[in-house]
Amino acid sequence: MSEAESPPVLSRREFIETAGLALAGVVLDSPVEGGEPITDIHQHLGYSGRPDDVLLAHQRAMGATTTILLPAGRSVNTPSTHDGVSNGLQAQCLGNEPCRQFARAHSGAFRFGANEVPDVEGATREIERYLKLGGVVIAEQKFGVECDSPEMQRIFELAQAYRVPVLMHWQFQMYNYGFERFHKMLEKFHRVNFLGHAQTWWGHIDRNHIDQTVMYPKGPVTRGGLTDRYLSDYPNMFGDLSAGSGLNALTRDEEFARDFIKRHQDKLIYGSDCNDLDGTKCQGAQTIAAIRRLAPNKAIERKLLHGNAKKLFRL
Ligand SMILES: [Zn+2]
Ligand SMILES: [Zn+2]
């Protein structure tokens, strides 16, 4: 049984915090429009320079009641950051400490992850520090390293010890090399839950995803792709629907998407990864609309927008 399947139990401390917030007029899982909580598992602080108040307004406009902030690692010039190109997750995103502080200042609505460039000195020590402070995921792992390298395996060991998922940005020849070998890690670290994200992850829903350099493939999907098989064959593999790549995977072949959502209804999780200033017509809002349109029923829609995240991140 994976960690994600264990029912969430409120600790005494969490109960007191929840009760305290309720007294203060802040209700967790508070209904926005339509009375339904939405968890956005993929956001960033300082994203492309976006001010904090605009992020707050963006999340409110989308209807996100809980948001997980994914930090960048430290800024270094190494091959794993492509000599600094991928510092700040290639989008000016802020690191562990600002994310932790922001989540603390907006507790109830925001949580944070823990992150570091995997091959710098003291990487696991830094990640562990922020897991101890309450980080709910190791993310966003978006670095130029082999997905099964010794440093990545040390991160997976840490995730196992702290019972948190690891979120990986898969992008051909850029981030997390060796997608076709990842099943070995899913087997070796079968107690660690992994989230797949980005172009190469979503491209591989299609069995005919031959040209790996195509980042946003269009048109009909042929069943039996590597991503589909990872989701089917490994209970510890989950899909993060965020970003243009996630939205593209839902909209390029809606007949396939309906069936895909039905088959992986316990594995797919909403995230926005939006860097815009709006929150109403943007890609994150469109992904929520696509989930509502394509989910075969209300119960499955609720799993993708909230229930699966609540379980997986033990929120
Ligand atoms: Zn991201
Ligand atoms: Zn947006």
Side-chain angles (χ1 to χ4, degrees):
M1 181 166 135
S2 70
E3 304 295 350
E5 285 157 11
S6 52
V9 178
L10 273 189
S11 71
R12 186 180 140 75
R13 181 181 57 79
E14 286 167 329
F15 175 76
I16 290 167
E17 279 177 6
T18 307
L21 285 167
L23 283 174
V26 182
V27 181
L28 295 185
D29 285 357
S30 62
V32 186
E33 274 170 54
E36 292 174 345
I38 293 177
T39 300
D40 179 355
I41 66 152
H42 196 136
Q43 258 298 358
H44 303 289
L45 197 63
Y47 199 172
S48 308
R50 179 172 56 191
D52 291 353
D53 59 331
V54 180
L55 167 65
L56 286 168
H58 178 278
Q59 295 308 95
R60 260 196 308 274
M62 282 202 316
T65 46
T66 302
T67 300
I68 303 179
L69 295 171
L70 310 181
R74 78 184 69 175
S75 290
V76 285
N77 291 340
T78 57
S80 56
T81 66
H82 303 285
D83 284 323
V85 169
S86 26
N87 285 338
L89 301 173
Q90 215 184 331
Q92 298 171 249
C93 302
L94 300 180
N96 291 322
E97 186 54 25
C99 288
R100 183 186 77 86
Q101 286 185 15
F102 188 94
R104 195 172 58 171
H106 302 278
S107 61
F110 284 79
R111 310 296 282 261
F112 65 97
N115 203 20
E116 186 51 290
V117 183
D119 59 351
V120 297
E121 174 77 26
T124 48
R125 203 166 51 238
E126 170 72 4
I127 295 171
E128 184 168 21
R129 184 163 169 243
Y130 281 91
L131 292 176
K132 281 185 175 157
L133 289 167
V136 296
V137 58
I138 298 175
E140 177 179 354
Q141 277 294 306
K142 183 178 180 181
F143 303 100
V145 292
E146 300 291 340
C147 71
D148 48 3
S149 61
E151 48 270 17
M152 287 305 282
Q153 294 200 38
R154 281 196 287 275
I155 287 176
F156 303 157
E157 280 163 13
L158 192 61
Q160 183 167 302
Y162 281 82
R163 300 170 65 211
V164 291
V166 182
L167 190 151
M168 296 173 73
H169 178 117
W170 297 98
Q171 188 176 334
F172 181 64
Q173 289 184 340
M174 189 68 184
Y175 300 124
N176 291 312
Y177 313 131
F179 184 59
E180 64 290 343
R181 299 191 306 272
F182 194 61
H183 61 96
K184 292 178 188 166
M185 295 295 98
L186 290 167
E187 281 153 24
K188 184 170 178 182
F189 296 95
H190 58 92
R191 284 155 66 196
V192 176
N193 291 317
F194 293 92
L195 282 142
H197 156 67
Q199 299 95 328
T200 296
W201 166 262
W202 287 117
H204 275 292
I205 55 172
D206 188 354
R207 190 182 177 152
N208 291 334
H209 187 50
I210 308 298
D211 182 357
Q212 296 285 295
T213 63
V214 178
M215 291 287 138
Y216 300 92
K218 300 289 177 195
V221 175
T222 306
R223 269 180 75 153
L226 194 48
T227 291
D228 212 333
R229 282 185 279 144
Y230 283 169
L231 287 168
S232 298
D233 296 349
Y234 297 94
N236 53 332
M237 187 81 244
F238 295 78
D240 161 6
L241 290 163
S242 71
S245 55
L247 180 57
N248 183 56
L250 292 177
T251 55
R252 62 180 282 194
D253 178 349
E254 295 204 343
E255 197 184 322
F256 171 85
R258 280 195 178 86
D259 177 63
F260 182 80
I261 289 174
K262 191 176 177 191
R263 287 186 291 117
H264 301 303
Q265 60 180 275
D266 297 311
K267 296 294 207 65
L268 302 175
I269 304 185
Y270 171 70
S272 71
D273 201 9
C274 268
N275 65 350
D276 65 288
L277 312 179
D278 168 48
T280 59
K281 296 178 196 69
C282 57
Q283 158 253 304
Q286 287 176 46
T287 304
I288 292 173
I291 290 169
R292 289 191 163 139
R293 186 170 73 245
L294 299 169
N297 58 51
K298 189 71 185 172
I300 294 176
E301 176 199 303
R302 295 306 307 144
K303 284 185 186 184
L304 270 58
L305 290 177
H306 182 63
N308 292 344
K310 197 174 161 72
K311 274 190 197 171
L312 185 66
F313 293 87
R314 298 189 285 146
L315 298 173

